[in-house]
Amino acid sequence: MATHFITIDIDLEKTSRDLVSAIESALAERGEPLRWAITQINSATQTATVEAVVTTLSNP
C-alpha cells in the first residue's frame, strides 16, 4: 500500500448542487481518500482546488 499527496481541480459550474460527492468521486479515481480539503477557490475560472491524501494498493 502506498500513500500519495494529490491536487485536483473541480469545476464548480458542473457540481454546484453536490460538491462533496463530486470531490469524493474525483478522488476515488486516484485511490482511496484518507483526507481532503478545499484549499482555494478561483472565482474567475469557477474552480475549486482540492488537496488530498489517497492510498493505492501499489505504486503507480
Side-chain angles (χ1 to χ4, degrees), residues 3-23:
T3 59
H4 306 279
F5 179 79
I6 62 170
T7 303
I8 60 172
D9 290 320
I10 302 292
D11 185 348
L12 295 174
E13 292 178 340
K14 293 181 181 177
T15 59
S16 60
R17 297 200 82 214
D18 195 4
L19 181 58
V20 172
S21 292
I23 292 169

Side-chain angles (χ1 to χ4, degrees), residues 34-56:
L34 294 177
R35 64 183 182 119
W36 58 266
I38 298 171
T39 58
Q40 184 176 4
I41 300 289
N42 185 327
S43 59
T45 61
Q46 291 294 297
T47 58
T49 300
V50 177
E51 294 179 355
V53 176
V54 299
T55 59
T56 58

